[in-house]
């Protein structure tokens, strides 16, 4: 049965029966799975008003951090109770394998619990070293109303890398999920209200990016826009937030490299390279979509990689054994095919997958390995966002570093070597926000996540992930008879 949703504003669903709606069809079989209200500027106005009121006059920003943490933990527990339902929504709308969707929900809970703890440790600074009669206090305060705009590849997880951290800092949010995958954002907001998170703290408006996304990023009532998505849209978000001097934090695309040296543990590196390009059908910002492999081991390595790829199961995402599900929609499916066609025209050799490994019925693409890719080819430079791996060989550490950094993006790379000198030399030279050494697509809640260059700026996770949603206030307190400051004596004379 088709799920039907309105917007979620001030802890209530509105516009559920709006004549303007978006139907999400299953990427697997084209059947309708959900109906979302198609929002407008006035829906964004209403949601920002609710978030503004909750921030300016509501209890949330002033609440003891412990009380906020208790509510966030309750939210996480409620999500855990609803794990299977939420995971199935994610499978229906994204087309990703069910067991990965369940793992996403576990990550969502872990992110919320982590953010709750961070909120209790968030603190400012005090200076007692600025003169005998003066004390400086730096308060770390919530930034205000946050506009959250997220993509379709990890809908719940991306929501949870932002919203709980904003909430733990004391902010309120208006979320604009992807028009393809709005279900879990709405359900997560509903569960937040159910556990007692006050009205106006988490609001969700659904609709298209050019309409509601643009209205949100350009809204004067928003203090910070936290965006995850493509570099193309990210640039528009930065401009639109800048129009009303709101801050922007943007997590954008990537073109990561898996760099394999001749002294790597080959079976580990093969499984890392496999995971890096096939996880979430390659629809992953931190995908290792370029394989840089030392010439002396390249043939052996590629043979093992192709064999491992043949063992992946592609198909129905509800099947417990499926490793690779559907591409998000037909246009994206055709764009990925276009990248494979262009690469072949430009001279790349298909080692597995390729056009013969695509199936329009179900939007399935078999992981594809393209050998003989040079930096001048478009598949080396452009984000494909599908299971398509571009292979380039190198002969020296200097060449490996130069190839890895030969991209406008700077999100995540992995380096595989058993030599600590090689690992550290490469890790330090890479211009990316994330480097994995002898592991890939790995993460810890404590480690900041984000990119450089065209991969954006801003950091999620770690302490930085909460600080993103705060602003600093300096208070200078003078005690006793005023002896410094304008009209008295200069501070330096003390
Ligand atoms: P997208 O940029 O097309 O859309 C992202 C969101 O922005 C959607 O909600 C969309 O509706 C909205 N949007 C579109 N136009 C807008 C506008 N003019 N104003 C405001 N909002 C607008 O991205 P996508 O296709 O949904 O997702 C894929 C992209 O996301 C890839 O490039 C991928 O690398 C990136 N991504 C990055 C990260 C990261 O952490 N760096 C994580 C996941 C995905």
């Amino acid at each position: 049965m088709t799920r039907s949703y309105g917007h979620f504003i001030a802890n209530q669903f509105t516009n559920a029966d709006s004549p303007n709606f978006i139907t999400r069809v299953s990427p697997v079989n084209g059947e309708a799975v959900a109906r979302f209200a198609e929002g407008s500027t006035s829906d964004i106005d209403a949601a920002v008003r609710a978030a503004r009121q909750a921030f300016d006059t509501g209890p949330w920003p002033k609440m003891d951090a412990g009380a906020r943490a208790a509510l966030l933990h309750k939210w996480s527990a409620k999500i855990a109770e609803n794990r299977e339902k939420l995971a199935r929504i994610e499978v229906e709308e994204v087309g990703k394998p069910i067991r990965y969707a369940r793992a996403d929900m576990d990550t969502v809970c872990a992110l919320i619990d982590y953010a709750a703890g961070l909120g209790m440790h968030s603190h400012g600074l005090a200076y007692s070293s600025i003169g005998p009669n003066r004390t400086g206090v730096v308060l770390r305060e919530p930034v205000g109303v946050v506009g959250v705009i997220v993509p379709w590849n990890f809908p719940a997880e991306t929501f949870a890398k932002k919203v709980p951290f904003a909430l733990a800092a004391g902010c309120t949010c208006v979320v604009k999920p992807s028009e393809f995958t709005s279900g879990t954002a709405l359900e997560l907001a509903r569960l937040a209200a159910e556990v007692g998170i006050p009205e106006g703290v988490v609001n969700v408006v659904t609709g298209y990016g050019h309409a509601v996304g643009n209205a949100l990023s350009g809204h004067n009532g928003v203090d910070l826009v936290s965006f995850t998505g493509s570099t193309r849209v990210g640039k528009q978000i930065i401009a639109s937030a800048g129009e009303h001097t709101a801050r922007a934090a943007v997590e954008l695309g990537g073109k990561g490299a898996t760099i394999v040296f001749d002294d790597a543990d080959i079976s580990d590196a093969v499984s890392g390279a496999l995971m890096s390009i096939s996880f979430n059908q390659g629809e992953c910002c931190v995908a290792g979509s370029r394989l840089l492999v030392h010439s002396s081991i390249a043939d052996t390595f590629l043979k093992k990689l192709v064999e491992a790829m043949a063992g992946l199961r592609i198909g129905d995402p509800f099947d417990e054994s499926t490793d690779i599900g559907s591409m998000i929609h037909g246009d994206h499916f055709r764009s990925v095919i276009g990248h494979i066609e262009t690469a072949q025209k430009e001279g790349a050799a298909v080692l597995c997958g390729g056009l013969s490994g695509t199936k329009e019925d179900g939007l399935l693409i078999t992981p594809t390995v393209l050998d003989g890719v040079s930096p001048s080819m478009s598949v080396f430079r452009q984000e494909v966002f599908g299971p398509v791996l571009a292979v380039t060989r190198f002969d020296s550490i200097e060449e490996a570093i130069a190839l890895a950094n030969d991209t406008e993006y700077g999100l995540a790379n992995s380096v595989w070597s058993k030599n600590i000198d090689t690992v550290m030399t490469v890790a330090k030279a890479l211009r990316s926000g994330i480097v994995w050494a002898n592991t890939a697509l790995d993460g810890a809640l404590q480690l900041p996540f984000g990119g450089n260059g065209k991969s954006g700026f801003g950091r999620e996770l770690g302490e930085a992930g909460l600080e993103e949603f705060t602003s600093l206030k300096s208070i200078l307190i003078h005690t006793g008879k005023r002896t410094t400051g304008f009209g008295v004596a200069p501070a330096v004379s003390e």
Side-chain angles (χ1 to χ4, degrees):
M1 192 206 283
T2 313
R3 290 171 282 108
S4 184
Y5 300 96
H7 310 301
F8 193 78
I9 299 175
N11 283 5
Q12 284 186 6
F13 277 104
T14 62
N15 299 58
D17 46 10
S18 161
N20 299 325
F21 58 86
I22 296 169
T23 301
R24 175 58 177 151
V25 297
S26 156
V28 179
N29 55 23
E31 282 173 17
V33 291
R35 178 189 142 124
F36 309 121
E38 184 188 338
S40 64
T41 307
S42 60
D43 298 312
I44 288 290
D45 281 342
V48 174
R49 228 176 9 253
R52 196 71 263 167
Q53 199 176 341
F55 186 79
D56 293 342
T57 60
W60 190 256
K62 296 170 205 77
M63 202 183 261
D64 175 77
R68 277 201 298 258
L71 282 170
L72 290 170
H73 287 307
K74 272 192 185 177
W75 189 24
S76 154
K78 196 74 174 169
I79 293 166
E81 273 173 36
N82 287 272
R83 175 184 191 247
E84 189 62 22
K85 174 183 166 187
L86 293 164
R88 296 185 90 79
I89 291 175
E90 212 80 316
V91 177
E92 281 184 359
E93 295 179 13
V94 184
K96 66 169 69 192
I98 179 72
R99 55 185 217 282
Y100 292 138
R102 289 192 193 112
D104 284 359
M105 295 313 141
D106 297 340
T107 305
V108 167
C109 296
L111 285 162
I112 296 176
D113 288 330
Y114 175 66
L118 269 188
M120 292 182 67
H121 290 280
S122 176
H123 58 81
L125 288 169
Y127 287 89
S128 56
S129 57
I130 55 174
N133 297 326
R134 303 194 308 163
T135 306
V137 178
V138 182
L139 300 185
R140 184 172 285 286
E141 299 186 324
V143 68
V145 172
V146 181
V148 172
I149 303 177
V150 286
W152 44 256
N153 56 340
F154 292 90
E157 209 178 294
T158 318
F159 174 106
K161 280 163 111 177
K162 298 179 186 294
V163 177
F165 291 80
L167 263 51
C171 298
T172 60
C173 295
V174 177
V175 183
K176 206 304 270 177
S178 166
E179 53 273 32
F180 299 105
T181 57
S182 304
T184 46
L186 291 156
E187 294 287 352
L188 293 174
R190 184 210 303 262
L191 296 177
E194 257 180 61
V195 299
I197 292 181
E199 71 174 55
V201 173
V202 183
N203 307 277
V204 179
V205 177
T206 53
Y208 293 109
H210 60 82
V212 282
N214 191 38
L216 180 59
S217 61
H219 202 292
N220 208 24
V222 169
D223 299 294
L224 164 73
V225 185
S226 178
F227 173 79
T228 298
S230 62
T231 300
R232 181 184 63 80
V233 175
K235 287 180 191 168
Q236 294 172 22
I237 299 281
I238 296 162
S240 137
E243 281 289 313
H244 59 106
T245 52
R247 267 165 49 189
V250 293
E251 304 287 347
L252 311 176
K255 192 73 200 178
T258 301
I259 311 162
V260 184
F261 286 87
D262 48 356
D263 57 358
D265 178 318
I266 297 297
S267 68
D268 270 4
V270 165
S271 77
L274 179 77
M275 186 74 176
S276 290
I277 195 60
S278 62
F279 181 59
N280 216 51
Q281 303 75 241
E283 294 171 329
C284 197
C285 56
V286 289
S289 53
R290 294 177 298 154
L291 171 67
L292 309 180
V293 58
H294 196 278
S295 300
S296 66
I297 56 160
D299 289 337
T300 317
F301 189 86
L302 290 171
K303 187 166 173 286
K304 286 181 191 289
L305 180 61
V306 167
E307 277 166 16
M309 276 188 175
L312 293 174
R313 298 196 52 162
I314 301 147
D316 178 6
F318 276 109
D319 186 326
E320 299 285 340
S321 62
T322 293
D323 299 303
I324 299 191
S326 303
M327 294 282 102
I328 189 77
H329 52 64
D331 283 349
H332 185 58
F333 171 84
R334 285 181 283 280
S335 150
V336 175
I337 289 177
H339 281 286
I340 300 173
E341 279 172 347
T342 307
Q344 280 187 271
K345 278 188 205 135
E346 289 179 350
V350 176
L351 299 190
C352 63
L355 298 177
S356 61
T358 66
K359 206 162 150 245
E360 181 124 28
D361 177 19
L363 306 183
L364 300 173
I365 295 190
T366 302
T368 296
V369 178
L370 299 166
D371 198 6
V373 172
S374 70
S376 63
M377 295 184 187
S378 44
V379 74
F380 187 93
R381 317 207 78 83
Q382 291 174 7
E383 187 185 44
V384 175
F385 225 54
V388 179
L389 182 65
V391 182
T392 309
R393 295 159 197 238
F394 67 84
D395 292 306
S396 68
I397 187 168
E398 293 77 17
E399 196 187 354
I401 292 167
L403 283 166
N405 282 338
D406 190 5
T407 169
E408 291 187 312
Y409 293 108
L411 189 52
N413 294 294
S414 70
V415 50
W416 301 81
S417 163
K418 285 294 171 195
N419 181 331
I420 186 72
D421 287 358
T422 305
V423 165
M424 284 313 290
T425 303
V426 174
K428 287 183 171 183
L430 288 170
R431 288 196 296 266
S432 56
I434 300 162
V435 177
W436 291 296
N438 296 315
T439 183
L441 301 199
D442 212 343
L445 299 170
Q446 296 88 336
L447 300 185
F449 177 101
N452 301 326
K454 298 280 188 289
S455 295
F457 48 82
R459 289 294 180 269
E460 295 175 331
L461 310 185
E463 289 178 36
L466 185 122
E467 286 172 4
E468 193 78 56
F469 298 104
T470 63
S471 79
L472 298 177
K473 177 188 282 172
S474 296
I475 304 179
L476 199 156
I477 305 152
H478 199 296
T479 46
K481 179 78 185 141
R482 187 161 164 262
T483 54
T484 60
F486 290 119
V488 190
V492 285
S493 70
E494 288 198 339

